[in-house]
Amino acid sequence: MISAIFTIFAPIIGGLVYGFERIVKARMQSRQGPPLMQPFYDFFKLMDKRPMMVHSFHALMGIMYFIGEWFALAVLLIGNDLLIAVFFHVIAVLALVIGASSVRSPYSVLGALRELMHMISYEPLMVLLVVALYLVVGSFDIKDVLNYQGYPILELPLVFIAFLLTIPMMLQKSPFDIAEAHQEVVGGPEIEYSGPFYEALYTGKWIEYIYVFTFAFLFGGAHYWLGALLVIFAFLFVNLLDNASARLDFRKMVKFAWAVLIPMAALNVILLSLWQ
């Protein structure tokens, strides 16, 4: 019941998290920053704008991105299968890529290609993360993970570190703000969306915050206090990294993911398998 309520209100919770993140970033930069409810003010402002679209398929893919993100979270919290949730997240990102690739704007197409680079970098690691949790708990069911009396973070330290460094890729934070690099591609795959259709993408990103930090929470197992601490730590770490680092080239992002993060997580999985 709690999972269903949490899923239904995920856009609102994600909007609050995004608003709080903007306040934290502003404080880190020694400025006032927007109010907590600013994302919702932006929401109503965008919804009030006249709908404009390049073509119907492009608009549909933006809406499908929002629906895909929400469905991935629903599968994660209610559907009881972590691996399927990851696959639905892939479908959501692919909808964004396909939509951005369907227009003639070079910025949109370049952003779509870079979004694919993001997906190639972090999705294999997410699969490894789910496999690692399965080896620890013996189930893909989120309920079994949350009832596990051990400490997954102690058995999967390398996987957690790799995941922590993957979060900026998933949330488009520096140093991996590659697809939305405003200095180069002017908003990336979102550039041709406006009004309610851009709002679908904007809200989908709020849901992705909940999706990502739910995985961080799982490393606490049945110890919810530990899961909450890991979420807070991940949130602060990602924002510190975002404020303290410059954006990297997309080639460096892919190389870092495949040469460092994925082998690190794979090593943890291999050692865990041998230990068991």
Side-chain angles (χ1 to χ4, degrees):
M1 185 63 179
I2 296 177
S3 298
I5 294 174
F6 196 76
T7 302
I8 292 171
F9 289 99
I12 297 176
I13 298 171
L16 291 172
V17 173
Y18 183 60
F20 180 69
E21 180 190 68
R22 293 178 68 176
I23 293 174
V24 171
K25 290 177 67 174
R27 296 298 185 271
M28 289 178 178
Q29 297 167 3
S30 300
R31 56 185 176 86
Q32 181 65 31
L36 178 65
M37 301 300 290
Q38 186 62 48
F40 300 101
Y41 301 152
D42 295 339
F43 175 90
F44 290 113
K45 179 179 69 176
L46 289 168
M47 291 300 292
D48 193 49
K49 289 183 178 293
R50 183 176 64 182
M52 297 181 66
M53 65 176 73
V54 180
H55 50 71
S56 57
F57 180 76
H58 178 253
L60 176 62
M61 288 297 99
I63 295 172
M64 287 302 300
Y65 169 76
F66 166 72
I67 294 174
E69 288 283 358
W70 206 348
F71 201 80
L73 181 64
V75 172
L76 177 63
L77 297 179
I78 303 174
N80 303 328
D81 196 313
L82 301 177
L83 196 58
I84 294 178
V86 172
F87 292 155
F88 273 109
H89 183 263
V90 172
I91 293 174
V93 177
L94 283 176
L96 176 61
V97 170
I98 293 170
S101 302
S102 67
V103 298
R104 294 184 178 181
S105 168
Y107 298 117
S108 181
V109 174
L110 180 59
L113 292 174
R114 291 189 176 187
E115 190 69 44
L116 275 177
M117 294 298 101
H118 275 268
M119 190 174 68
I120 291 171
S121 299
Y122 65 71
E123 290 297 353
L125 191 137
M126 293 302 295
V127 173
L128 275 174
L129 186 156
V130 172
V131 170
L133 287 173
Y134 175 82
L135 290 176
V136 171
V137 179
S139 172
F140 288 116
D141 194 323
I142 187 174
K143 294 179 181 177
D144 293 332
V145 177
L146 294 176
N147 289 327
Y148 180 65
Q149 296 302 315
Y151 295 87
I153 183 64
L154 297 180
E155 299 180 66
L156 303 170
L158 297 180
V159 173
F160 181 76
I161 293 172
F163 172 68
L164 196 63
L165 295 172
T166 301
I167 294 177
M169 299 181 194
M170 303 181 70
L171 299 182
Q172 300 286 346
K173 304 292 183 184
S174 294
F176 304 123
D177 180 18
I178 309 298
E180 298 178 6
H182 300 289
Q183 301 92 331
E184 297 179 14
V185 292
V186 198
E190 307 169 3
I191 186 63
E192 294 298 328
Y193 287 97
S194 63
F197 304 112
Y198 178 73
E199 181 52 49
L201 270 64
Y202 191 50
T203 311
K205 292 184 180 299
W206 298 353
I207 295 174
E208 188 156 23
Y209 274 75
I210 308 302
Y211 173 85
V212 169
F213 289 117
T214 297
F215 276 100
F217 186 82
L218 296 181
F219 281 89
H223 311 282
Y224 294 172
W225 60 270
L226 177 58
L229 288 176
L230 291 174
V231 169
I232 294 171
F233 174 75
F235 178 84
L236 293 175
F237 174 81
V238 169
N239 280 281
L240 283 169
L241 187 64
D242 184 32
N243 281 275
S245 59
R247 178 171 47 82
L248 296 176
D249 181 83
F250 76 92
R251 298 176 186 85
K252 294 180 180 178
M253 177 186 69
V254 176
K255 184 177 180 180
F256 179 66
W258 280 89
V260 179
L261 300 184
I262 293 176
M264 182 190 302
L267 176 63
N268 199 157
V269 171
I270 293 170
L271 292 175
L272 184 63
S273 301
L274 293 175
W275 180 263
Q276 291 179 340

